[in-house]
Amino acid sequence: MEKQGGSGCKRQVVVESPVRPLRPCFIFLLFLSTVILIILLAFPDSSFQTDWWENLSLYTYYRRWTKPDRPLGPSPTTIPPTTVPAPPSTTIRPLPTNNYHFGYPRNYHFIVDEPDKCNTQTPFLVLIVPVAPGNLAARDAIRRTWGNETLVQGKKVQTLFMLGLPGGPDAQKLQEKVNQESQVHHDLLQSNFLDSYLNLTIKTMVIMDWLATHCTNATYAMKIDSDMFLNVENLMTMLLRPDIPKMNYLTGMLMWNRPVIRNPNSKWYVPVEMLADNRYPTYTLGMGYVFSNDLPVRFVEVSKDIKLFNIEDAYVGACMKKLGLSPTNSPDPWQWKAYLGKYNRCEFSKVITYIVSRSSQIVDYWMDLKKTPGSPCP
Ligand SMILES: *[C@@H]1O[C@H](CO)[C@@H](O)[C@H](O)[C@H]1NC(C)=O
Ligand SMILES: *[C@@H]1O[C@H](CO)[C@@H](O)[C@H](O)[C@H]1NC(C)=O
Ligand SMILES: *[C@@H]1O[C@H](CO)[C@@H](O)[C@H](O)[C@H]1NC(C)=O
Ligand SMILES: *[C@@H]1O[C@H](CO)[C@@H](O)[C@H](O)[C@H]1NC(C)=O
């Protein structure tokens, strides 16, 4: 046994040996990974694996919601303390579990609308961004960048924002601002449910309802979060491939066989009464998923029979399953990135999505990618 523990690995490196036998360090790592693999295989439903998976995948995505200073999107801080009591420190009380049709989009109606956006000139692709009413910064960043791409490879692209009702003491003031913003930009859709994190499934289904009723002739639509960098050019290249179906198609970053989180301390806790299954059907991660526009009307229809639960992307997966469909991997699945770590012009020129942590990054990266002359890759 090496006396210095961890540094033993390092020391082995400098030992000169003409035959280079396997280093103890390497053997140890091999052993460790084998043990982990065996544990994962032996206890497929253990909480160890659940936690492990949670951290590896869900965590990287959803931690955006848990950061107290999260500057983008409908953060928990937008839940007004007056209408939604502060959750008890341990348990998150999600939506009422006894009302089957709570999430059904036709229960709500649009108070701000753009009824002719899709009719005057049918877009090929509609991008709809769920965003909190107060998050003007995110909307402006998107308007200045990928939301301003109206014609890509000869195809019309339309970007719209979906809002719920503002809550809290400033609700009325905020609503007036929303009305004014709509007059200026004509790109806001607003439905009359309370905008909150736990109501995101309602928001997604209201997006589907709008597409099904106001935009039936578009070919593809995408739900994309407000804290996303989107490379519309690459998305369009993908959609225009001859092998991409124009019907029954949903793609993005695929999530397979993910466990439903039963830990009441988790932000993604879903009680058994809300969803009995312990695994989600295959779904596409909520940061951004694109679908053929024949699906929204069918999602709205089947959602009548699928009990609401508060994980919007998995809920869309449940709608797909009910329709006898499944999301499809895109031709280059690696283009759907949650995090890249660090901005890299070459890599950004190749991806479709990437999560940013500040609205200003969308603008910075966009400017660098689009406005800097020269090839992005060396
Ligand atoms: C996941 O990782 C985070 C930080 O890396 C940690 O705070 C959290 O406790 C971990 N959760 C689980 C279930 O391992
Ligand atoms: C949608 O397409 C159909 C068939 O091509 C056409 O009759 C209809 O007018 C179109 N609707 C809109 C709103 O463009
Ligand atoms: C969108 O693009 C057009 C033309 O490229 C430009 O004139 C306009 O200022 C842009 N809008 C925003 C909000 O940046
Ligand atoms: C969701 O929206 C409904 C309709 O506005 C509202 O009654 C409910 O309180 C909201 N739920 C949460 C958790 O915000």
Side-chain angles (χ1 to χ4, degrees):
M1 194 68 189
E2 285 273 3
K3 215 177 105 201
Q4 277 160 297
S7 64
C9 287
K10 220 174 182 175
R11 288 178 54 175
Q12 284 296 325
V13 177
V14 295
V15 171
E16 301 220 4
S17 160
V19 281
R20 293 195 154 264
L22 281 180
R23 291 163 192 152
C25 172
F26 175 75
I27 294 170
F28 176 73
L29 286 177
L30 195 69
F31 173 75
L32 194 70
S33 29
T34 311
V35 167
I36 290 175
L37 192 71
I38 289 170
I39 290 174
L40 290 180
L41 293 177
F43 307 99
D45 284 309
S46 69
S47 70
F48 170 76
Q49 196 191 10
T50 303
D51 291 350
W52 190 76
W53 275 123
E54 182 180 351
N55 256 13
L56 201 73
S57 56
L58 285 174
Y59 181 77
T60 46
Y61 172 60
Y62 287 111
R63 84 186 166 94
R64 303 187 291 148
W65 304 108
T66 65
K67 279 191 278 180
D69 58 343
R70 185 176 187 272
L72 289 164
S75 69
T77 51
T78 60
I79 300 176
T82 46
T83 45
V84 180
S89 54
T90 52
T91 313
I92 297 162
R93 272 290 120 224
L95 300 160
T97 57
N98 53 353
N99 188 343
Y100 228 71
H101 298 296
F102 199 84
Y104 184 62
R106 298 280 168 84
N107 292 346
Y108 307 101
H109 67 265
F110 294 98
I111 56 168
V112 174
D113 200 357
E114 292 296 331
D116 296 323
K117 272 286 160 175
C118 271
N119 295 345
T120 43
Q121 220 195 331
T122 302
F124 176 77
L125 170 66
V126 191
L127 308 172
I128 303 198
V129 187
V131 57
N135 200 350
L136 174 65
R139 290 192 288 276
D140 277 344
I142 292 166
R143 284 177 182 126
R144 289 177 62 191
T145 57
W146 51 263
N148 197 23
E149 299 265 283
T150 50
L151 199 66
V152 181
Q153 298 181 30
K155 299 285 183 185
K156 187 172 154 49
V157 181
Q158 179 74 59
T159 300
L160 293 159
F161 300 95
M162 182 63 76
L163 287 59
L165 291 176
D170 294 332
Q172 208 178 337
K173 232 192 259 170
L174 199 48
Q175 186 57 47
E176 278 160 26
K177 282 189 186 163
V178 165
N179 294 342
Q180 285 162 13
E181 188 185 337
S182 168
Q183 290 301 308
V184 175
H185 294 285
H186 288 286
D187 59 3
L188 301 185
L189 310 172
Q190 188 183 29
S191 179
N192 69 336
F193 64 89
L194 179 66
D195 199 295
S196 69
Y197 175 58
L198 287 173
N199 271 351
L200 279 180
T201 305
I202 296 178
K203 207 180 226 181
T204 291
M205 292 316 293
V206 164
I207 288 175
M208 298 304 173
D209 183 39
W210 193 86
L211 289 166
T213 53
H214 292 65
C215 204
T216 46
N217 282 5
T219 310
Y220 293 101
M222 181 178 197
K223 178 254 162 183
I224 172 146
D225 282 348
S226 61
D227 54 352
M228 297 300 297
F229 178 90
L230 175 67
N231 194 320
V232 195
E233 199 76 41
N234 292 346
L235 174 62
M236 189 61 80
T237 303
M238 186 203 88
L239 291 175
L240 291 178
R241 284 171 62 121
D243 57 338
I244 298 296
K246 291 197 167 57
M247 289 185 83
N248 295 335
Y249 185 66
L250 167 67
T251 196
M253 187 189 269
L254 263 59
M255 298 281 124
W256 289 281
N257 204 27
R258 286 298 138 99
V260 177
I261 306 301
R262 301 297 190 194
N263 175 358
N265 299 319
S266 169
K267 289 279 171 186
W268 321 290
Y269 169 57
V270 176
V272 179
E273 314 88 69
M274 221 173 200
L275 180 66
D277 303 345
N278 286 321
R279 299 261 160 189
Y280 288 120
T282 307
Y283 66 95
T284 43
L285 199 61
M287 60 176 188
Y289 46 85
V290 64
F291 42 93
S292 55
N293 202 36
D294 59 309
L295 288 177
V297 68
R298 304 178 70 193
F299 289 155
V300 169
E301 202 46 42
V302 288
S303 75
K304 281 187 219 170
D305 301 321
I306 306 173
K307 201 162 166 173
L308 181 82
F309 55 89
N310 50 309
I311 309 291
E312 64 89 16
D313 44 9
Y315 188 83
V316 173
C319 290
M320 286 291 278
K321 191 178 172 190
K322 188 101 182 170
L323 290 169
L325 303 170
S326 184
T328 313
N329 244 329
S330 78
D332 295 306
W334 55 265
Q335 286 186 304
W336 302 85
K337 299 258 181 181
Y339 290 94
L340 279 185
K342 224 169 118 196
Y343 175 73
N344 173 310
R345 187 160 181 243
C346 181
E347 200 153 8
F348 266 67
S349 72
K350 294 175 181 164
V351 300
I352 291 176
T353 60
Y354 170 63
I355 300 176
V356 298
S357 46
R358 289 189 306 278
S359 296
S360 58
Q361 287 176 333
I362 301 180
V363 180
D364 292 347
Y365 300 163
W366 189 268
M367 291 303 164
D368 186 66
L369 188 63
K370 296 275 169 171
K371 306 290 182 220
T372 311
S375 161
C377 295

